[in-house]
């Protein structure tokens, strides 16, 4: 009960100080009161490990986040390499098709040349038959 009376007495003194000088922050001065200070120190003793635990939890979360980001980057890199590999395969196939088309074109040109020569021979034969 005496502690409660001391608390009330200290709060009343603080109220008088704040009324006399309104620039005083009552919350800062309240913590400095002799009847409140032991409770605040006890809270710091309890909050210290909690804040330290929070810091450790934050660090663990940060490390896990960085590992996930690294894994994500590795996965993106792997996917990029796979896309490049597929593009190169398509380019190779197109080159092969182009070479095959070129070869077929050359064969077709040869066939057309042979057919033109055959047509000329037949036209010469027709001329000779008409002349005879």
């Amino acid at each position: 009960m005496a502690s409660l009376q001391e608390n009330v007495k200290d709060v009343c003194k603080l109220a008088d100080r704040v009324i006399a000088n309104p620039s005083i922050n009552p919350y800062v001065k309240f913590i400095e009161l002799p009847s409140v200070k032991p409770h605040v120190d006890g809270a710091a003793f309890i909050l210290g490990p909690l804040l330290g635990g929070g810091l450790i939890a934050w660090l663990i979360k940060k490390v896990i986040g960085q590992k996930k980001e690294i894994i994500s980057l590795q996965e993106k890199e792997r996917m990029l390499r796979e896309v490049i590999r597929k593009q190169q395969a398509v380019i190779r196939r197109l080159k092969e098709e182009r070479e095959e088309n070129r070869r077929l074109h050359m064969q077709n040109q040869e066939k057309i040349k042979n057919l033109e020569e055959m047509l000329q021979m037949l036209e010469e034969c027709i001329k000779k038959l008409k002349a005879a």
Side-chain angles (χ1 to χ4, degrees), residues 49-110:
L50 291 177
L51 292 176
L55 179 64
I56 291 171
W58 177 80
L59 286 173
I60 290 172
K61 183 178 177 184
K62 192 76 164 167
V63 168
I64 289 173
Q66 287 177 347
K67 282 187 176 182
K68 286 181 180 179
E69 187 175 331
I70 289 170
I71 290 171
S72 174
L73 288 174
Q74 289 173 342
E75 182 65 19
K76 287 178 184 176
E77 229 177 276
R78 184 193 63 77
M79 289 172 25
L80 180 63
R81 283 193 305 268
E82 186 176 339
V83 166
I84 290 171
R85 183 180 53 79
K86 287 181 180 182
Q87 285 176 339
Q88 289 173 342
V90 167
I91 290 170
R92 241 186 335 270
R93 189 173 59 230
L94 288 173
K95 283 182 180 178
E96 290 170 0
E97 287 177 6
R98 186 178 66 192
E99 290 299 318
E100 178 66 21
N101 287 339
R102 184 178 289 154
R103 189 182 59 76
L104 288 173
H105 178 71
M106 296 302 284
Q107 285 178 349
N108 288 340
Q109 290 296 322
E110 186 67 29

Side-chain angles (χ1 to χ4, degrees), residues 8-62:
V8 171
K9 187 171 125 181
D10 288 339
V11 170
C12 288
K13 285 182 185 177
L14 177 63
D16 290 338
R17 287 176 54 195
V18 170
I19 289 170
N21 186 2
S23 65
I24 295 175
N25 186 344
Y27 294 108
V28 172
K29 296 298 179 183
F30 180 76
I31 293 173
E32 295 175 0
L33 293 176
S35 60
V36 176
K37 191 157 180 72
H39 300 294
V40 172
D41 291 339
F45 178 73
I46 293 171
L47 290 177
L50 291 177
L51 292 176
L55 179 64
I56 291 171
W58 177 80
L59 286 173
I60 290 172
K61 183 178 177 184
K62 192 76 164 167

